[in-house]
Amino acid sequence: MNPLFPALLDPDDRPALRFGDDVLTYRQLAGAAGAIAGSLAGRERVAVHATPTIHTAVGVTAALLAGVAVVPVNPKLGERELGHVVGDCAPDLVLAAPGATLPGPLGALPRLDVDLTAVAPVPTDEPPPDAPALVIYTSGTTGPPKGAVLPRSAIAYDLDALAEAWEWTGDDLLAHALPLFHVHGLVLGVLGPLRRGGSLHHIGKLDAKALAAAGPSMVFGVPTQYHRLADQLESDPDSAKEIGRARLLVSGSAALTAVDHARLLRATGLAVRERYGLTETLILTAARAADEPEVGTVGPPLRGTEIRLAPLPGGGDDGLGAVEVRGPSLFSGYLNRPDATAAAHTPDGWFATGDIGRWTESGALAIVGRSATDLIKSGGYKIGAGEIENALLEHPGVAEVAVVGVPDPDLGERIVAHVVPAGTPPPERELIDHVAALLAPHKRPREVRFTDALPRNDMGKVQKSRLPRE
Ligand code: MLC
Ligand code: AMP
């Protein structure tokens, strides 16, 4: 038996979770999560209204203790996307903070409030390793998001391999400000410290003063957060000095620029470590704590993870290849989507990440791009262009549309919609709000550019590569 959270089986009074004024020790967390786990026995799948609160962390932990698969739901999803997610995963009930107002389809589910003061024993039966632990929705190039099913064994394996890479122990205090409905904030950022028996301090926003006050040994963030932190630290040397007492700053979900690496190193004395992965694969590579990181790379593969670079169509002898992976941290498939699961794998069973990479001499992987122009990474969120185009086409003022990601120093890429209007162009704000109402705020175009026609090839297919990227 390999329990997911050994520290909850023999809990003590060390701090486990802190979100603002809400703090739980391991003993309190075991009591509260044990009580909810008891109420969940026999359920197959539950949703969690995944606000960035301690209630989300407790609800997810409880469901995992009960051996029930959890679907963390972005609380800001628009009506279309929320309807899709809830319809697709059909949860038995939803876990939420007491008093939280649940949107549409979540509100229609049976509800169980997360009571932080409850006390009951933690179940000791460990479910089988291949039992589904999490279903996390992720965007593809077209169509609505797909639910990646992550088994318990993948999560346990990946967190242990990362612990080796980063010398991560129960003595570490992790601080971050990530959302709790994706792999980064939830798997690494909540389940990570709990598996080690260490502490998490969620600080709400990656602000220099809040981070300095938290006094963490480790920090996780997406590049947009580190970019904004670097801006702040340049005029706040006291916070920079405090943050420099940390052991490890880790960036992931998108590429951190060399400029921001250098600014953070100058301010804090710490060289940021990057790691690389996907919702479907969890973390695959990581710059090690013990080694000087090679800027521009995401480090070598984690123990047990295999990575190969497949030739690119029309590719030359430049060392670049399509990143394909296999190993114990991979998902078991997309929920209800055997077609999409098959399409994501090569005939010989490797998962095709869609990223393009090359090896450096030291054995680190460098991610140099993506094969699909229809996938956008903005603020660390993966966003399918097709999903936004479909939403915009439902607006009566839109005749044709092409959505692209444009390089942005803060967000990595920002979403730009090129729109051929149907008649008089609608106000830009109206189109932006239309997308947010149907999908989620982070899928809003930052900019709408009206045009008379989209560039098309002889077959009539839109050629996004000919749209202006600046
Ligand atoms: C945004 N806003 C807009 C707008 N776009 N308002 C009007 N029109 C638009 N077009 C609003 C926002 O809602 C927000 O409002 C405000 O403007 C600022 O927006 P922002 O610049 O996006 O900043 P912010 O909301 O602060 O978000 C930045 C961020 C966020 C970096 C904190 O993008 C984030 O949390 N990213 C993390 C994504 C993540 O966890 N990815 C991991 C995926 S897992 P208001 O009112 O809300 O302030 C994965 C695997 C792996 O990738 O490797 O980890
Ligand atoms: P998601 O599907 O949201 O999990 O996003 C996964 C994608 O994020 C990967 O396919 C990469 O394109 C990107 N990604 C994650 N970490 C990094 C990193 N450190 N550097 C560059 N890209 C990254």
Side-chain angles (χ1 to χ4, degrees), residues 37-342:
S39 312
L40 294 181
R43 310 284 184 164
E44 189 190 344
R45 195 148 57 221
V46 298
V48 173
H49 182 236
T51 51
T53 61
I54 203 163
H55 301 86
T56 297
V58 174
V60 171
T61 305
L64 292 174
L65 288 173
V68 176
V70 196
V71 189
V73 180
N74 176 352
K76 292 191 180 160
L77 284 191
E79 78 184 65
R80 175 70 43 83
E81 196 169 347
L82 182 59
H84 164 72
V85 166
V86 173
D88 188 52
C89 69
D92 296 321
L93 57 81
V94 55
L95 294 169
T101 306
L102 300 185
L106 272 189
L109 293 170
R111 168 177 182 155
L112 184 61
D113 280 348
V114 174
D115 176 1
L116 301 178
T117 61
V119 180
V122 162
T124 51
D125 291 347
E126 179 61 24
D130 60 351
L134 291 170
V135 181
I136 299 192
Y137 279 80
T138 179
S139 290
T141 48
T142 55
K146 303 178 292 260
V149 181
L150 294 161
R152 299 174 78 87
S153 56
I155 292 172
Y157 187 92
D158 205 51
L159 292 175
D160 292 351
L162 280 175
E164 285 171 28
W166 294 335
E167 298 161 20
W168 188 357
T169 72
D171 292 331
D172 277 302
L173 166 60
L174 172 69
H176 70 77
L178 291 157
L180 301 188
F181 46 83
H182 276 312
V183 160
H184 197 165
L186 183 62
V187 178
L188 274 62
V190 174
L191 307 185
L194 295 183
R195 181 155 173 87
R196 299 272 73 79
S199 299
L200 161 65
H201 187 163
H202 193 286
I203 59 172
K205 190 167 182 230
L206 206 73
D207 168 79
K209 292 212 159 33
L211 191 57
S217 63
M218 293 169 75
V219 182
F220 290 170
V222 295
T224 301
Q225 292 175 320
Y226 280 117
H227 177 79
R228 295 175 185 180
L229 182 67
D231 285 346
Q232 292 181 358
L233 293 181
E234 278 164 2
S235 55
D236 186 353
D238 293 342
S239 295
K241 196 170 161 209
E242 277 307 311
I243 295 166
R245 295 184 204 280
R247 202 168 66 68
L248 212 54
L249 306 183
V250 181
S251 174
S253 303
L256 187 70
T257 64
V259 172
D260 286 334
H261 261 286
R263 294 164 79 205
L264 290 159
L265 177 62
R266 217 167 25 241
T268 64
L270 296 170
V272 177
R273 266 64 176 180
E274 285 199 73
R275 92 293 177 289
Y276 159 73
L278 292 85
T279 303
E280 293 90 335
T281 63
L282 299 179
I283 304 309
L284 299 161
T285 73
R288 306 300 200 255
D291 300 332
E292 206 45 47
E294 206 178 331
V295 173
T297 81
V298 293
L302 294 180
R303 168 176 60 86
T305 295
E306 293 178 84
I307 300 182
R308 70 181 185 189
L309 297 183
L312 294 167
D317 192 21
D318 49 11
L320 298 184
V323 179
E324 295 177 352
V325 302
R326 64 181 185 189
S329 69
L330 265 63
F331 74 144
S332 53
Y334 297 111
L335 189 69
N336 305 325
R337 294 293 306 277
D339 55 328
T341 306

Side-chain angles (χ1 to χ4, degrees), residues 408-431:
D408 184 282
D410 177 46
L411 296 166
E413 289 180 289
R414 69 174 182 282
I415 304 172
V416 175
H418 295 265
V419 169
V420 178
T424 309
E428 179 180 10
R429 170 65 32 205
E430 190 177 307
L431 293 183

Side-chain angles (χ1 to χ4, degrees), residues 1 16 108 117 183 233 254 333 405 442 459-460 464:
M1 193 186 80
T117 61
V183 160
L233 293 181
H442 66 264
M459 310 291 290
K464 290 195 177 177

